[in-house]
Amino acid sequence: MPEALLSLESIRAGYGESRILRDVSLEINEGHAVCLIGRNGVGKTTLIKSVMGLVKVRSGSIHVAGQDITTKRPEERARMGLGYVPQGRGIFGHLSVFENLLMGFESRRVPLPGSARKTWRRCTRSSQRCATCGNEI
């Protein structure tokens, strides 16, 4: 069985005294897409922010392609290729969807595997949205 691209093991995280995530484990293999759904307030955003290093993990571990990133700073994680698009309109409205995604690639110090456009096409069926301005979606 191939090594997981992203692996979370027994993650505990939260804000201040609030415990939001309690022993969350997850594995995502290369080439797989995962949808994280749930009611408001159940920890979806906290989980993603924990992976990105924006919320400190109290216990547990996060691995990307076998490398432990649990204690890495957010900018180190971004250089590894991890990205986070927050909900809401925290985008550049005058740029296309594709250009907004390219902004996330700017922090990488190593070339992307394959072209960014090829990566985009793998991630979506609707490449027409790629040219749409961010403020039009």
Side-chain angles (χ1 to χ4, degrees), residues 12-14 49-50 53-59 70:
R12 291 183 181 206
K49 286 184 173 184
S50 295
L54 300 171
V55 170
K56 186 177 179 184
V57 171
R58 294 176 183 166
S59 67
T70 311

Side-chain angles (χ1 to χ4, degrees), residues 15-84:
Y15 306 93
E17 295 297 317
S18 296
R19 290 177 290 170
I20 308 298
L21 303 178
R22 298 175 183 165
D23 296 317
V24 175
S25 296
L26 171 71
E27 282 194 358
I28 302 173
N29 293 319
E30 187 172 355
H32 291 196
V34 174
C35 179
L36 185 61
I37 60 174
R39 297 183 329 269
N40 289 343
V42 297
K44 301 177 300 293
T45 301
T46 303
L47 180 65
I48 300 303
K49 286 184 173 184
S50 295
V51 170
M52 291 306 305
L54 300 171
V55 170
K56 186 177 179 184
V57 171
R58 294 176 183 166
S59 67
S61 63
I62 302 172
H63 290 81
V64 172
Q67 181 180 356
D68 190 344
I69 65 162
T70 311
T71 59
K72 289 195 180 292
R73 295 185 316 270
E75 58 271 22
E76 293 174 296
R77 296 173 195 215
R79 280 190 218 106
M80 292 176 69
L82 291 177
Y84 169 61

